[in-house]
Amino acid sequence: MMDLDGPEPLYIQIAGILRRRIADGTYPPRSKIPSAEALRAEFGVSRVTAVNAVGILLNEKLVQGVVGKGTYVSEPPETSGED
Amino acid sequence: MMDLDGPEPLYIQIAGILRRRIADGTYPPRSKIPSAEALRAEFGVSRVTAVNAVGILLNEKLVQGVVGKGTYVSEPPETSGED
DNA sequence: CCTCATTTGTTCGTATGTATA
DNA sequence: TTATACATACGAACAAATGAG
């Protein structure tokens, strides 16, 4: 289980960790990130806290949630020319 | 509709009621217990809460779930000699 | 083979109540 | 009072499996 002991709120810390995993390709575009239940188990927090963490990424449009299916990593925005 | 108003969580109370019904033979071995939808109606809770209650019995191996069919009461464990 | 209804099990998103700082 | 965190609970939606027809 992941250790969280920084000064920041848990949901902020977890959001940061997930954001990093998206950036470094651990969770590639269109892939499904772990469920709220899985995040709850991984980080040792309540499900609500896991949901709130993912909620930050939803707000940033880094991921998209689909009820009954899961939460998926968004397509990266086109920078200018994809060359 | 069954009344639940104890201090314990609904899913714990419902699991206790179902456990008692198995013990007293209301739901005999190999019989099918009511579906999640039927439990939802009987106890006046959400389907998820009914599923969670049954999940406790699944964890205790008192029942076995079969997707598409139902949830069945397990065989009672052999005590020593089945005399 | 296909469609429909039922059923288990999972998932997201939200709301409420409690406790803590 | 506000922010955080937890457990509980609900509704909606989805997948997979089963069985009827």
Side-chain angles (χ1 to χ4, degrees), chain B residues 10-15 18 39 48-58:
Chain B
L10 297 178
Y11 72 103
I12 301 283
Q13 293 184 57
I14 294 171
L18 299 181
L39 294 174
V48 175
T49 295
V51 168
N52 286 342
V54 174
I56 293 177
L57 307 188
L58 283 169

mmCIF file of all heavy atoms in Angstrom, chain B residues 10-15 18 39 48-58:
data_model
loop_
_atom_site.group_PDB
_atom_site.id
_atom_site.type_symbol
_atom_site.label_atom_id
_atom_site.label_comp_id
_atom_site.label_asym_id
_atom_site.label_seq_id
_atom_site.Cartn_x
_atom_site.Cartn_y
_atom_site.Cartn_z
ATOM 1 N N LEU B 10 -27.224 -0.996 7.167
ATOM 2 C CA LEU B 10 -28.266 -1.801 6.531
ATOM 3 C C LEU B 10 -27.709 -3.101 5.977
ATOM 4 O O LEU B 10 -28.310 -4.164 6.144
ATOM 5 C CB LEU B 10 -28.927 -0.996 5.408
ATOM 6 C CG LEU B 10 -29.673 0.271 5.838
ATOM 7 C CD1 LEU B 10 -30.226 0.980 4.616
ATOM 8 C CD2 LEU B 10 -30.807 -0.099 6.793
ATOM 9 N N TYR B 11 -26.569 -3.032 5.312
ATOM 10 C CA TYR B 11 -26.055 -4.248 4.669
ATOM 11 C C TYR B 11 -25.635 -5.279 5.702
ATOM 12 O O TYR B 11 -25.740 -6.481 5.462
ATOM 13 C CB TYR B 11 -24.925 -3.910 3.686
ATOM 14 C CG TYR B 11 -23.610 -3.498 4.293
ATOM 15 C CD1 TYR B 11 -22.536 -4.387 4.350
ATOM 16 C CD2 TYR B 11 -23.433 -2.224 4.792
ATOM 17 C CE1 TYR B 11 -21.328 -4.010 4.900
ATOM 18 C CE2 TYR B 11 -22.219 -1.840 5.340
ATOM 19 C CZ TYR B 11 -21.173 -2.741 5.395
ATOM 20 O OH TYR B 11 -19.971 -2.375 5.941
ATOM 21 N N ILE B 12 -25.218 -4.823 6.886
ATOM 22 C CA ILE B 12 -24.875 -5.753 7.962
ATOM 23 C C ILE B 12 -26.140 -6.402 8.521
ATOM 24 O O ILE B 12 -26.190 -7.621 8.735
ATOM 25 C CB ILE B 12 -24.135 -5.009 9.089
ATOM 26 C CG1 ILE B 12 -22.857 -4.346 8.582
ATOM 27 C CG2 ILE B 12 -23.843 -5.961 10.251
ATOM 28 C CD1 ILE B 12 -21.716 -5.286 8.371
ATOM 29 N N GLN B 13 -27.149 -5.591 8.733
ATOM 30 C CA GLN B 13 -28.415 -6.120 9.250
ATOM 31 C C GLN B 13 -29.014 -7.144 8.302
ATOM 32 O O GLN B 13 -29.475 -8.211 8.723
ATOM 33 C CB GLN B 13 -29.415 -4.977 9.458
ATOM 34 C CG GLN B 13 -29.041 -3.993 10.551
ATOM 35 C CD GLN B 13 -30.131 -2.947 10.758
ATOM 36 O OE1 GLN B 13 -31.277 -3.285 11.028
ATOM 37 N NE2 GLN B 13 -29.784 -1.681 10.610
ATOM 38 N N ILE B 14 -29.014 -6.800 7.012
ATOM 39 C CA ILE B 14 -29.613 -7.706 6.028
ATOM 40 C C ILE B 14 -28.808 -9.009 5.950
ATOM 41 O O ILE B 14 -29.373 -10.098 5.889
ATOM 42 C CB ILE B 14 -29.694 -7.014 4.651
ATOM 43 C CG1 ILE B 14 -30.680 -5.847 4.734
ATOM 44 C CG2 ILE B 14 -30.105 -7.993 3.573
ATOM 45 C CD1 ILE B 14 -30.693 -4.955 3.513
ATOM 46 N N ALA B 15 -27.494 -8.889 5.975
ATOM 47 C CA ALA B 15 -26.661 -10.096 5.959
ATOM 48 C C ALA B 15 -27.002 -10.976 7.158
ATOM 49 O O ALA B 15 -27.094 -12.203 7.034
ATOM 50 C CB ALA B 15 -25.185 -9.716 5.974
ATOM 51 N N LEU B 18 -30.304 -12.798 6.530
ATOM 52 C CA LEU B 18 -30.150 -13.889 5.564
ATOM 53 C C LEU B 18 -29.387 -15.050 6.196
ATOM 54 O O LEU B 18 -29.724 -16.220 5.976
ATOM 55 C CB LEU B 18 -29.408 -13.380 4.322
ATOM 56 C CG LEU B 18 -30.100 -12.251 3.548
ATOM 57 C CD1 LEU B 18 -29.277 -11.847 2.337
ATOM 58 C CD2 LEU B 18 -31.509 -12.663 3.117
ATOM 59 N N LEU B 39 -34.534 -8.862 -2.964
ATOM 60 C CA LEU B 39 -34.081 -8.373 -1.659
ATOM 61 C C LEU B 39 -34.243 -6.855 -1.581
ATOM 62 O O LEU B 39 -34.617 -6.312 -0.540
ATOM 63 C CB LEU B 39 -32.622 -8.774 -1.413
ATOM 64 C CG LEU B 39 -32.370 -10.277 -1.277
ATOM 65 C CD1 LEU B 39 -30.877 -10.558 -1.179
ATOM 66 C CD2 LEU B 39 -33.096 -10.853 -0.068
ATOM 67 N N VAL B 48 -27.630 -2.109 -4.795
ATOM 68 C CA VAL B 48 -26.225 -2.233 -4.401
ATOM 69 C C VAL B 48 -26.110 -2.663 -2.945
ATOM 70 O O VAL B 48 -25.272 -3.488 -2.603
ATOM 71 C CB VAL B 48 -25.470 -0.917 -4.634
ATOM 72 C CG1 VAL B 48 -24.052 -1.008 -4.115
ATOM 73 C CG2 VAL B 48 -25.468 -0.563 -6.105
ATOM 74 N N THR B 49 -26.965 -2.129 -2.092
ATOM 75 C CA THR B 49 -26.927 -2.505 -0.682
ATOM 76 C C THR B 49 -27.294 -3.981 -0.519
ATOM 77 O O THR B 49 -26.673 -4.699 0.279
ATOM 78 C CB THR B 49 -27.876 -1.615 0.132
ATOM 79 O OG1 THR B 49 -27.403 -0.271 0.081
ATOM 80 C CG2 THR B 49 -27.931 -2.046 1.583
ATOM 81 N N ALA B 50 -28.272 -4.445 -1.289
ATOM 82 C CA ALA B 50 -28.626 -5.864 -1.245
ATOM 83 C C ALA B 50 -27.443 -6.717 -1.704
ATOM 84 O O ALA B 50 -27.121 -7.738 -1.092
ATOM 85 C CB ALA B 50 -29.850 -6.124 -2.130
ATOM 86 N N VAL B 51 -26.790 -6.289 -2.775
ATOM 87 C CA VAL B 51 -25.626 -7.022 -3.286
ATOM 88 C C VAL B 51 -24.518 -7.058 -2.234
ATOM 89 O O VAL B 51 -23.877 -8.091 -2.034
ATOM 90 C CB VAL B 51 -25.116 -6.382 -4.589
ATOM 91 C CG1 VAL B 51 -23.757 -6.938 -4.980
ATOM 92 C CG2 VAL B 51 -26.118 -6.598 -5.710
ATOM 93 N N ASN B 52 -24.307 -5.937 -1.557
ATOM 94 C CA ASN B 52 -23.271 -5.897 -0.524
ATOM 95 C C ASN B 52 -23.590 -6.854 0.614
ATOM 96 O O ASN B 52 -22.684 -7.506 1.157
ATOM 97 C CB ASN B 52 -23.117 -4.479 0.013
ATOM 98 C CG ASN B 52 -22.416 -3.562 -0.965
ATOM 99 O OD1 ASN B 52 -21.754 -4.026 -1.895
ATOM 100 N ND2 ASN B 52 -22.568 -2.268 -0.784
ATOM 101 N N ALA B 53 -24.868 -6.928 0.988
ATOM 102 C CA ALA B 53 -25.267 -7.850 2.060
ATOM 103 C C ALA B 53 -24.961 -9.292 1.650
ATOM 104 O O ALA B 53 -24.358 -10.055 2.410
ATOM 105 C CB ALA B 53 -26.752 -7.683 2.367
ATOM 106 N N VAL B 54 -25.356 -9.664 0.462
ATOM 107 C CA VAL B 54 -25.076 -11.016 -0.032
ATOM 108 C C VAL B 54 -23.569 -11.234 -0.151
ATOM 109 O O VAL B 54 -23.073 -12.337 0.078
ATOM 110 C CB VAL B 54 -25.770 -11.248 -1.386
ATOM 111 C CG1 VAL B 54 -25.369 -12.591 -1.978
ATOM 112 C CG2 VAL B 54 -27.283 -11.161 -1.240
ATOM 113 N N GLY B 55 -22.857 -10.163 -0.474
ATOM 114 C CA GLY B 55 -21.397 -10.253 -0.592
ATOM 115 C C GLY B 55 -20.736 -10.724 0.691
ATOM 116 O O GLY B 55 -19.716 -11.417 0.658
ATOM 117 N N ILE B 56 -21.328 -10.355 1.817
ATOM 118 C CA ILE B 56 -20.789 -10.816 3.099
ATOM 119 C C ILE B 56 -20.923 -12.333 3.204
ATOM 120 O O ILE B 56 -19.972 -13.024 3.597
ATOM 121 C CB ILE B 56 -21.533 -10.126 4.263
ATOM 122 C CG1 ILE B 56 -21.211 -8.619 4.267
ATOM 123 C CG2 ILE B 56 -21.149 -10.753 5.605
ATOM 124 C CD1 ILE B 56 -21.962 -7.836 5.328
ATOM 125 N N LEU B 57 -22.083 -12.846 2.810
ATOM 126 C CA LEU B 57 -22.295 -14.302 2.878
ATOM 127 C C LEU B 57 -21.427 -15.037 1.864
ATOM 128 O O LEU B 57 -20.975 -16.151 2.116
ATOM 129 C CB LEU B 57 -23.770 -14.634 2.654
ATOM 130 C CG LEU B 57 -24.776 -13.903 3.544
ATOM 131 C CD1 LEU B 57 -26.164 -14.479 3.342
ATOM 132 C CD2 LEU B 57 -24.380 -13.975 5.003
ATOM 133 N N LEU B 58 -21.196 -14.398 0.729
ATOM 134 C CA LEU B 58 -20.296 -14.980 -0.269
ATOM 135 C C LEU B 58 -18.908 -15.110 0.330
ATOM 136 O O LEU B 58 -18.237 -16.136 0.172
ATOM 137 C CB LEU B 58 -20.238 -14.090 -1.510
ATOM 138 C CG LEU B 58 -21.419 -14.160 -2.472
ATOM 139 C CD1 LEU B 58 -21.339 -13.034 -3.480
ATOM 140 C CD2 LEU B 58 -21.447 -15.504 -3.180
#
